[in-house]
Structures are given as C-alpha cells and as structure tokens.
C-alpha cells in the first residue's frame, strides 16, 4: 500500500504528535520516497516547473571563475594531483561537466549521498549547507522555547516542544537573555553537522563553499522572523509546513560557527568573502579579460555580471574557503 507524506509524518511523530523542526525538514527534503531532493524532477533553472536559480545555472562562466580562483589560492601545487569533489550535485549537473579542467579527476556527490573524499582534494559546494535541517527557537514570556511541528490527520501546525532536544539545550546559554516577543531563531545545526562530517574525513587540500548566511549577532538581532524560507516556482514563502516534499526549504547558515569548525579541523588560512569580492580578488585576470573582450550583450558577459554584480549574486552570496595542509612528520 502506498502511503502519503502526512501518514508517514504521523508515524514519525508517534503518540506525542510532535516532531522537531529538524526532523520535519529532514523528512521534507531527504525522505527516500517523499523528500524534495529525492524527487525525479528538474529543480534548478528558469524554465517552467523549476523552483530556484543558482550560480550552477551559469556553469560555463562559473566553472571558469572557480578554476582560476583555485589556481590563485593554490599557486604552489600541481592541480593534476587533486580530485575535484563537488558536493550537492543535482542529477545530470556538476559545474565541471563537459569542461576542460586541470584536476586529476572529478567526483560528484548528490545531496544526501554517501561521502568519501580522496586526498588531496578540492572540495566544492554551491548552496548545499543552507539545505540542511535546522531547529527553530521562539522568544516569549521571558524565555526561549524550541518550536516543533504538530502532526495531525487534518494538517500540520507549529507548536512548542515540551523540552528542547539535547543539541538545542546545549546552545541555550548562548542566546540573548532578552529579546523581542515572538523573535525567531532558525538554528542551522544541520549545516554544522554536515561540515564537521566533511572535514572529519582524512583529506588535505582546499574547501570552497558558496552559500548565503549571516553572523551570529545578525541572526539573534536582525532577523526577527527567522531566516528559513520555502521556495516553489521561484517564489519564497514563510509557510514551511505546506506541501512537505513538494518545495525546497532553506535556512541561512551561521558563518561564525562554520569558520570555527574549520579552525578546529586545522584549516589555515581560512577566509569568508562576498562572492563579488572573492572573484574580483582571486579571478581578477579572468574577470578583466572577459570584460575587455566580451560583447556586453553576449550570454557570457551577462552571466559574469550576474555572478559578480552586487545587484545580483555578488553580494547575496558569500564564499567560505580554507586550506588544510598535510601533517608533516
């Protein structure tokens, strides 16, 4: 018998009828049968039926910018010794598909797939960390409560959990003692968990991840409605509980915590830069040559403008990168 998503959620919630936001998002995105990223559909692009648009849609220019940037970041190594590992790849996607590249090989890992990173490696991800489970906190009556999802036969609704889950409880001391009534914090612990898993594997080389996020002070002071959003057909909504499995759900990462994870894993140097600044700094020769030679109306020039202009992706996205050197005897 084929079950629908709500029946499966009722089973997951059990007698309490409650699940954490993290469990709900994990179900909505990654359930083997019903998860959004398990559906056989075209998600990325500007054509009818797609839900969002990323730099990967501009792969012809984006891949060139990434390669030139890597060469700038690793000037003293032979890239022909490194495997380019792209994480979170959509079926049939990958920014190096059909492209000439200087690497020993290219390995693609889809969202939720098993991870096995060789060494040395260039580990690359574009909008992967934001697509991980998160926990939701809400301030009310003088204290913070973890919110969950109430699952009933007639629908889903937001409801406080009786007690925070252990991972959230461990973070409560970090939260401000006072806040605005109803202030929400979407705590991106799934992004931290995934990054820890990536760097815990025994590989050396460059980590390069493009995403959108905020600092911890911004999250707790400047985002009263939280940072999580659902996307369908290029429209964002705050209603995360409608049609689980049919829409993308994202949450801004906390850059401060991700930088600390890299520090703890012996990455040095580590840098966080706006996408615009990153490409201007590390792919300057390619950018200047493209601007000088390209027809302003050409697709490649328009793609370059989209990627680096502050009015487009240049300021919206940030780039976190770090290098881990081999341990010398």
């Amino acid at each position: 018998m084929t079950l629908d998503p709500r029946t499966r959620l009722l089973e997951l919630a059990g007698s309490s009828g409650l699940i954490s936001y993290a469990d709900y998002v994990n179900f909505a995105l990654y359930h083997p049968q019903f998860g959004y990223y398990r559906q056989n559909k075209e998600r990325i692009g500007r054509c009818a039926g797609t839900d969002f648009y990323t730099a990967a849609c501009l792969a012809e220019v984006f891949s060139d910018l990434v390669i030139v940037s890597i060469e700038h970041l690793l000037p003293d190594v032979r890239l022909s010794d490194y495997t380019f590992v792209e994480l979170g790849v959509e079926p049939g996607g990958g920014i190096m598909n059909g492209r000439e590249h200087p690497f020993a090989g290219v390995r693609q890992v889809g969202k939720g797939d098993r991870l096995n990173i060789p060494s040395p490696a260039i580990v690359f991800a574009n909008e992967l960390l934001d697509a991980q489970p998160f926990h939701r906190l809400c301030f009310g009556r003088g204290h913070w409560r973890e919110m969950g999802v109430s699952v009933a036969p007639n629908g889903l609704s937001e409801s406080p959990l009786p007690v925070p889950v252990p991972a959230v409880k461990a973070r409560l001391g970090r939260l401000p003692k006072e806040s605005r009534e109803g202030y929400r914090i979407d705590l991106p612990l799934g992004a931290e968990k995934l990054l820890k898993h990536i760097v815990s594997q025994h590989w050396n080389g460059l980590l390069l991840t493009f995403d959108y996020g905020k600092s911890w002070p911004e999250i707790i002071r400047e985002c009263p409605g939280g940072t999580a959003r659902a996307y369908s057909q290029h429209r964002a909504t705050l209603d995360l509980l409608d049609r689980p499995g049919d829409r993308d759900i994202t949450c801004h990462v906390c850059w401060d915590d991700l930088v600390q994870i890299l520090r703890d894993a012996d990455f040095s140097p580590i840098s966080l830069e706006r996408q615009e600044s990153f490409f201007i700094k590390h792919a300057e020769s390619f950018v200047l040559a493209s601007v000088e030679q390209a027809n302003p109306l050409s697709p490649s020039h328009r793609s370059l403008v989209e990627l680096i202009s502050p009015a487009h992706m240049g300021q919206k996205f940030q780039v976190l990168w770090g290098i881990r050197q081999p341990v010398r005897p």
Side-chain angles (χ1 to χ4, degrees), residues 219-257:
I219 289 173
I220 64 175
R221 296 172 188 161
E222 300 178 15
C223 305
T227 65
R229 303 289 186 270
Y231 287 88
S232 179
Q233 298 183 7
H234 301 274
R235 294 181 180 178
T237 176
L238 296 175
D239 185 358
L240 311 182
L241 305 183
D242 183 36
R243 305 190 339 256
D246 287 342
R247 303 179 304 161
D248 189 24
I249 300 175
T250 73
C251 173
H252 279 61
V253 303
C254 177
W255 291 120
D256 302 1
D257 295 333

Side-chain angles (χ1 to χ4, degrees), residues 53-63 302-303 306-307 313:
Y53 186 77
T54 77
C57 300
L58 308 170
E60 184 173 344
V61 174
F62 188 46
S63 61
R302 291 200 300 268
S303 296
E306 283 194 70
L307 289 165
M313 297 182 186

Side-chain angles (χ1 to χ4, degrees), residues 3-322:
L3 299 178
D4 59 30
R6 191 167 296 165
T7 303
R8 288 295 190 193
L9 281 168
L10 282 167
E11 294 177 352
L12 183 63
S15 59
S16 71
L18 279 172
I19 57 175
S20 70
Y21 254 95
D23 286 341
Y24 168 75
V25 174
N26 188 60
F27 175 91
L29 296 183
Y30 297 110
H31 185 276
Q33 182 179 359
F34 301 113
Y36 176 77
Y37 284 110
R38 302 303 192 191
Q39 306 301 316
N40 184 21
K41 61 170 289 186
E42 190 174 2
R43 285 172 279 270
I44 301 176
R46 282 180 170 158
C47 57
T50 59
D51 294 320
F52 53 92
Y53 186 77
T54 77
C57 300
L58 308 170
E60 184 173 344
V61 174
F62 188 46
S63 61
D64 286 338
L65 285 166
V66 168
I67 289 172
V68 174
S69 298
I70 291 170
E71 291 172 339
H72 185 263
L73 292 170
L74 298 173
D76 300 322
V77 305
R78 292 187 306 177
L79 293 181
S80 58
D81 293 335
Y82 286 67
T83 301
F84 184 87
V85 182
E86 183 173 0
L87 308 180
V89 181
E90 287 285 296
I95 68 167
M96 296 297 168
N97 273 3
R99 307 287 297 167
E100 291 187 6
H101 60 76
F103 311 111
V106 172
R107 183 176 297 185
Q108 298 175 346
V109 183
K111 288 185 175 73
D113 289 350
R114 185 175 180 181
L115 190 60
N116 183 18
I117 302 174
S119 187
I122 312 293
V123 178
F124 169 85
N126 180 59
E127 292 193 60
L128 172 64
L129 295 177
D130 69 87
Q132 304 305 312
F134 58 88
H135 297 264
R136 171 162 283 183
L137 299 168
C138 184
F139 189 83
R141 299 181 179 179
H143 66 278
W144 292 96
R145 298 175 297 171
E146 181 177 5
M147 306 303 293
V149 177
S150 176
V151 185
N154 61 344
L156 308 177
S157 60
E158 188 172 287
S159 181
L161 298 180
V163 294
V165 302
V168 172
K169 190 174 182 180
R171 302 295 182 98
L172 292 180
R174 190 184 181 193
L175 301 177
K177 301 299 182 184
E178 296 293 333
S179 188
R180 185 184 315 178
E181 192 75 12
Y183 196 101
R184 291 180 175 181
I185 293 175
D186 293 319
L187 198 60
L189 298 187
E192 294 181 32
K193 181 179 178 180
L194 177 56
L195 185 60
K196 286 179 180 178
H197 179 52
I198 292 169
V199 301
S200 70
Q201 299 203 3
H202 299 293
W203 62 273
N204 301 300
L206 172 68
L207 175 81
L208 185 61
T209 179
F210 291 68
D211 225 312
Y212 50 88
K214 295 183 180 294
S215 68
W216 180 245
E218 288 175 321
I219 289 173
I220 64 175
R221 296 172 188 161
E222 300 178 15
C223 305
T227 65
R229 303 289 186 270
Y231 287 88
S232 179
Q233 298 183 7
H234 301 274
R235 294 181 180 178
T237 176
L238 296 175
D239 185 358
L240 311 182
L241 305 183
D242 183 36
R243 305 190 339 256
D246 287 342
R247 303 179 304 161
D248 189 24
I249 300 175
T250 73
C251 173
H252 279 61
V253 303
C254 177
W255 291 120
D256 302 1
D257 295 333
L258 301 185
V259 168
Q260 187 60 51
I261 289 170
L262 295 189
R263 288 197 187 108
D264 293 342
D266 298 322
F267 281 75
S268 181
I270 301 167
S271 183
L272 175 66
E273 305 167 30
R274 288 200 321 257
Q275 183 169 299
E276 170 199 13
S277 301
F278 177 82
F279 283 137
I280 294 296
K281 181 178 179 180
H282 301 293
E284 181 182 18
S285 59
F286 178 85
V287 172
L288 291 177
S290 299
V291 170
E292 291 174 358
Q293 298 173 12
N295 180 339
L297 300 179
S298 69
S300 61
H301 188 272
R302 291 200 300 268
S303 296
L304 181 65
V305 170
E306 283 194 70
L307 289 165
I308 67 174
S309 169
H312 296 285
M313 297 182 186
Q315 187 166 346
K316 178 181 178 181
F317 293 94
Q318 295 89 48
V319 184
L320 174 64
W321 63 269

